[in-house]
Amino acid sequence: MILRKFKAKMINKIFYCLNHLYSLIVPSLSRLLAQSPFVLHIRITSKCNLSCPFCYLKEGLNQEEPDLLSIDEWKKILISIPRTTIIDITGAEPFMAKNFKEFLILLKQMGFKCSVTTNGTVYNDSMIDTIINSSIEYILISLDGMNKKHNELRGSSNAFERTEEFITLLKSESKRAKKKLIINVKTMLLDENIEEIIPLIRHCDSKVRPDIITVNLPFQNNARGGRLFENDFLSSKYQTGNTFKFTNPSKVIEVIKDIFNIEKSIKTPIIFKPSISKSSLIEYIKDPSKMSAKNCKLYKNNVTLYYDGTLTPCDISFKVSNIRELGYDLKKLYIHEDYKKFSNLMKSNNKACEGCVFSKQVKTS
């Protein structure tokens, strides 16, 4: 049990360290080597079958997608980056993306490994087979409470049942195929589900049995991840910061302490996102706006590419360019004038980074 927890947490720490190390070293070598992202986040669709009230993407969900990148265009994009690039596929709900199976096949053919974040409700036998035969090595699946509460939060009468079945199928089929697949059940810590967190963790540990449980801290930051782009990074949209607040922080802190206690007795490792120390975690619960990613450089090597070709730095919804305008070459992003302007503005601490799940959140005020 101890070894399992150690391995799972080390995966998270190694990725965190490599991501930050790359952002410090590679840009300094850009005069010698063409820079490309260490992590390419792909928002492959705006479509979603659920309606979660806490979703930070909800204003941009279920859009028309007339300029969808074709499989041939994706191939041109992938040719321009090293095979060591980490591909992180998300949505909305990735399994609702047009040509998603073909995209996964392309990634495998080109030698890319990837992770996927999903609500775990959009699948059939064919999709399960595609996942097992794909280069997906890490899959994050959402559960935000026990049956009734999860369904309520997700706006679906059978979301919990579908997601549990999805995890069961993935575990059995990956074992049969001898496929390496890490399953991470992630849950959002909310006022609405605070009474469900401990029962859910115990249920996951004894019945669902993922490799990792992630407890996500909520945030509300207009600068992050949406589809409402603006051209002025100094506008109020990007400088509002994290406005989320718990209605009952003391109750949430009690549950956080309970999580620390039960982790000692369960088999499944628990991590928090964003990465944060135990003492800072309590401060975040009290007032999220006082925490941010201080002096973070991840924008230098994390890029988000949308289904229509829009390119944004990190997970900040600030459009720098469109991949079509760059001739499908991601390396050209780093010499784009708008990227250089953005980079200069990010040299000091920025409210756009408040609540970011990619970097460590520390107290800034």
Side-chain angles (χ1 to χ4, degrees):
M1 182 174 76
I2 295 174
L3 182 60
R4 178 187 172 191
K5 287 184 176 180
F6 176 77
K7 284 183 177 179
K9 290 199 172 186
M10 280 304 295
I11 290 172
N12 186 60
K13 288 182 178 179
I14 289 171
F15 171 72
Y16 177 87
C17 291
L18 285 176
N19 202 1
H20 281 265
L21 185 63
Y22 191 99
S23 69
L24 292 173
I25 295 175
V26 174
S28 64
L29 301 176
S30 59
R31 291 183 180 180
L32 302 174
L33 301 170
Q35 187 176 348
S36 63
F38 177 67
V39 182
L40 177 60
H41 305 282
I42 297 178
R43 291 201 178 277
I44 200 163
T45 185
S46 69
K47 306 298 183 183
C48 188
N49 60 315
L50 301 181
S51 54
C52 311
F54 54 85
C55 179
Y56 70 103
L57 299 171
K58 58 187 175 183
E59 291 181 334
L61 293 179
N62 297 311
Q63 302 291 310
E64 296 294 327
E65 299 177 346
D67 297 320
L68 201 68
L69 290 165
S70 68
I71 293 298
D72 286 341
E73 288 180 302
W74 279 115
K75 186 173 183 179
K76 292 177 184 178
I77 295 164
L78 295 172
I79 286 173
S80 76
I81 59 176
R83 300 301 179 266
T84 52
T85 305
I86 296 172
I87 307 294
D88 174 39
I89 307 170
T90 182
E93 173 48 53
F95 290 0
M96 293 187 71
K98 185 178 179 181
N99 298 327
F100 186 52
K101 290 182 182 180
E102 291 81 0
F103 181 66
L104 290 179
I105 291 170
L106 176 64
L107 287 177
K108 184 172 183 178
Q109 288 175 341
M110 298 189 69
F112 288 97
K113 299 185 184 301
C114 63
S115 64
V116 177
T117 299
T118 174
N119 62 42
T121 65
V122 184
Y123 61 91
N124 52 29
D125 291 344
S126 177
M127 181 57 77
I128 295 293
D129 288 341
T130 300
I131 295 169
I132 297 303
N133 292 313
S134 74
S135 56
I136 296 173
E137 292 195 351
Y138 197 102
I139 188 163
L140 298 97
I141 306 168
S142 300
L143 280 175
D144 296 309
M146 298 301 291
N147 199 316
K148 184 178 179 181
K149 178 57 68 175
H150 178 74
N151 290 345
E152 176 188 315
L153 288 171
R154 293 281 164 172
S156 170
S157 62
N158 67 342
F160 187 88
E161 181 182 16
R162 287 283 292 171
T163 301
E164 271 207 322
E165 180 188 59
F166 180 61
I167 296 171
T168 300
L169 288 170
L170 287 181
K171 286 172 66 68
S172 62
E173 290 302 304
S174 61
K175 183 177 180 180
R176 179 190 59 79
K178 297 181 180 179
K179 175 184 175 64
K180 178 184 176 183
L181 181 64
I182 297 173
I183 298 175
N184 184 339
V185 167
K186 65 187 190 77
T187 185
M188 186 67 72
L189 186 65
L190 303 164
D191 290 303
E192 293 85 348
N193 70 349
I194 195 65
E195 300 290 346
E196 302 267 323
I197 296 298
I198 299 301
L200 177 65
I201 288 174
R202 292 194 182 281
H203 176 76
C204 286
D205 183 62
S206 62
K207 303 292 184 183
V208 181
R209 297 179 180 176
D211 298 286
I212 305 171
I213 297 172
T214 296
V215 179
N216 282 85
L217 304 178
F219 68 88
Q220 292 172 348
N221 190 332
N222 291 332
R224 308 209 61 82
R227 283 287 303 165
L228 303 178
F229 304 113
E230 291 185 17
N231 294 322
D232 181 10
F233 189 61
L234 296 178
S235 73
S236 59
K237 171 183 169 62
Y238 298 108
Q239 300 304 320
T240 302
N242 185 6
T243 59
F244 180 85
K245 289 187 181 296
F246 286 101
T247 58
N248 191 351
S250 58
K251 178 62 178 175
V252 178
I253 290 171
E254 287 179 18
V255 171
I256 292 291
K257 292 178 180 179
D258 288 341
I259 293 173
F260 291 148
N261 288 329
I262 69 166
E263 188 190 13
K264 300 172 185 177
S265 61
I266 65 175
K267 295 179 180 179
T268 312
I270 301 173
I271 61 174
F272 285 87
K273 286 291 183 179
S275 178
I276 195 166
S277 68
K278 287 186 178 181
S279 59
S280 294
L281 179 56
I282 302 303
E283 292 297 323
Y284 189 99
I285 301 303
K286 291 178 180 177
D287 188 355
S289 68
K290 291 185 178 180
M291 311 294 290
S292 188
K294 191 175 182 180
N295 298 322
C296 180
K297 306 299 181 186
L298 288 186
Y299 67 89
K300 293 184 177 182
N301 67 292
N302 281 241
V303 172
T304 299
L305 175 57
Y306 286 74
Y307 54 85
D308 63 355
T310 298
L311 278 167
T312 69
C314 212
D315 192 36
I316 297 173
S317 52
F318 177 72
K319 180 179 178 180
V320 174
S321 186
N322 188 290
I323 194 66
R324 292 181 174 108
E325 297 169 1
L326 303 180
Y328 304 100
D329 187 351
L330 271 168
K331 294 187 290 294
K332 292 182 179 179
L333 172 70
Y334 295 96
I335 58 175
H336 195 283
E337 285 303 314
D338 286 346
Y339 176 82
K340 292 178 181 179
K341 291 176 184 177
F342 169 84
S343 183
N344 286 331
L345 291 170
M346 289 295 289
K347 287 181 178 178
S348 59
N349 295 333
N350 200 290
K351 284 187 170 293
C353 299
E354 291 182 9
C356 175
V357 299
F358 301 140
S359 191
K360 190 171 185 176
Q361 295 284 303
V362 297
K363 193 170 182 178
T364 56
S365 61

